[in-house]
């Protein structure tokens, strides 16, 4: 069933014109500025999905076709999907994490997981004879740790859609058992990857996730 997005453009326009709109997190500076990029045409979306080898979840597909290909949205906004270097891809700070060539492979998780679990802790200064030796060991430790945490198999089937700041990002699962859910990538803070949920712990789909941001933005401005 196609999601009804008919109210969104008008609501975004009202938010953009409201006093204090630039105070909503992510709206000003290098953020989305309450701008929505033009929607995709059906032929463009078909070309994108053919290129990726996967059909995008319906709620996001209908957003791309009727609202916009990116722009105003949670945090610093939705990464727009654009044709760059003759290939369709998502564009923005962190959008490059999306592995286009593996989107058709199933995301392997349905519950939160942290690839750092079970790894040893960092070296301690007291165990080394000199600051130089400690520095070498510390650098090697973090290099090895990031190689494990950032393995590409952890993010197959994920389309990264927005940047929350400090390398925290949120992504849409496009293949696998959690298809259609929004997931948070908190590996930058050793938090792993986990579903974005409502207050009852139920995973959010794209539409609920986007509308939650829209509702919260309106409530925040109404209370100013």
């Amino acid at each position: 069933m196609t999601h009804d997005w008919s109210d969104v453009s008008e609501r975004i326009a009202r938010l953009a014109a409201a006093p204090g709109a630039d105070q909503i997190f992510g709206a000003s500076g290098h953020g989305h500025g309450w701008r929505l990029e033009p929607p995709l045409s059906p032929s463009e979306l078909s070309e994108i999905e053919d290129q990726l080898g996967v059909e995008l979840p319906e709620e996001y597909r209908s957003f791309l076709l009727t609202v916009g290909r990116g722009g105003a949205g949670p945090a610093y906004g939705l990464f727009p999907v654009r044709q760059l270097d003759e290939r369709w891809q998502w564009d923005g700070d962190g959008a490059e994490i999306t592995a286009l060539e593996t989107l058709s492979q199933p995301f392997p998780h349905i519950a939160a997981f942290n690839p750092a679990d079970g790894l040893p802790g960092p070296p301690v200064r007291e165990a080394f004879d000199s600051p130089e030796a400690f520095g070498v060991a510390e650098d090697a430790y973090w290099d090895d740790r990031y190689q494990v945490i950032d393995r590409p198999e952890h993010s197959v089937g994920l389309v990264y859609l927005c940047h929350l700041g400090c390398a925290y990002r949120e992504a849409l699962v496009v293949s696998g058992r959690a298809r259609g859910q929004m997931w948070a990538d908190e590996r930058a803070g050793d938090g792993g990857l986990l579903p974005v949920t409502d207050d009852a712990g139920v995973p959010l789909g794209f539409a609920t996730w986007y509308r939650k941001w829209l509702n919260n933005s309106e409530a925040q401005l109404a209370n100013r």
Side-chain angles (χ1 to χ4, degrees):
M1 184 173 114
T2 301
H3 189 79
D4 181 8
W5 295 103
S6 58
D7 61 317
V8 170
S9 294
E10 182 180 345
R11 292 173 70 182
I12 293 292
R14 286 201 303 266
L15 283 165
D22 60 340
Q23 299 302 307
I24 298 292
F25 176 77
S28 59
H30 296 292
H32 55 76
W34 300 108
R35 294 181 297 274
L36 286 167
E37 299 209 7
L40 295 171
S41 69
S43 61
E44 286 175 327
L45 180 57
S46 178
E47 184 179 336
I48 291 167
E49 293 180 328
D50 287 346
Q51 183 185 96
L52 299 175
V54 66
E55 181 175 298
L56 298 172
E58 180 55 41
E59 292 177 350
Y60 183 50
R61 291 182 92 252
S62 59
F63 184 93
L64 293 172
L65 289 170
T66 61
V67 181
R69 66 187 67 195
Y76 291 100
L78 295 177
F79 296 144
V81 57
R82 294 179 174 139
Q83 195 167 30
L84 303 170
D85 299 324
E86 300 184 352
R87 184 170 191 182
W88 288 97
Q89 54 194 288
W90 285 264
D91 186 29
D93 180 13
E96 72 282 352
I97 301 175
T98 295
L100 302 173
E101 67 280 0
T102 61
L103 285 181
S104 61
Q105 297 179 20
F107 182 63
H109 302 281
I110 57 172
F113 78 103
N114 191 339
D117 287 348
L119 294 179
V124 293
R125 171 66 183 87
E126 293 76 13
F128 296 86
D129 296 332
S130 67
E132 293 76 17
F134 171 66
V136 169
E138 188 175 40
D139 288 345
Y141 167 81
W142 287 111
D143 286 345
D144 291 344
R145 186 179 181 87
Y146 286 128
Q147 283 185 22
V148 172
I149 292 173
D150 295 335
R151 284 177 182 162
E153 60 263 31
H154 298 319
S155 54
V156 299
L158 291 180
V159 169
Y160 282 80
L161 289 185
C162 75
H163 185 189
L164 281 65
C166 300
Y168 285 74
R169 299 178 176 93
E170 292 184 339
L172 174 65
V173 183
V174 300
S175 51
R177 290 182 294 167
R179 183 177 184 272
Q181 294 178 8
M182 294 298 303
W183 277 56
D185 186 339
E186 299 181 358
R187 287 179 289 175
D190 279 346
L193 290 96
L194 62 158
V196 180
T197 64
D198 63 15
D199 293 339
V202 177
L204 301 183
F206 175 81
T208 309
W209 172 79
Y210 189 88
R211 287 186 175 281
K212 180 180 180 181
W213 164 78
L214 196 57
N215 294 337
N216 287 346
S217 297
E218 290 171 335
Q220 184 175 336
L221 291 181
N223 291 330
R224 288 183 60 82

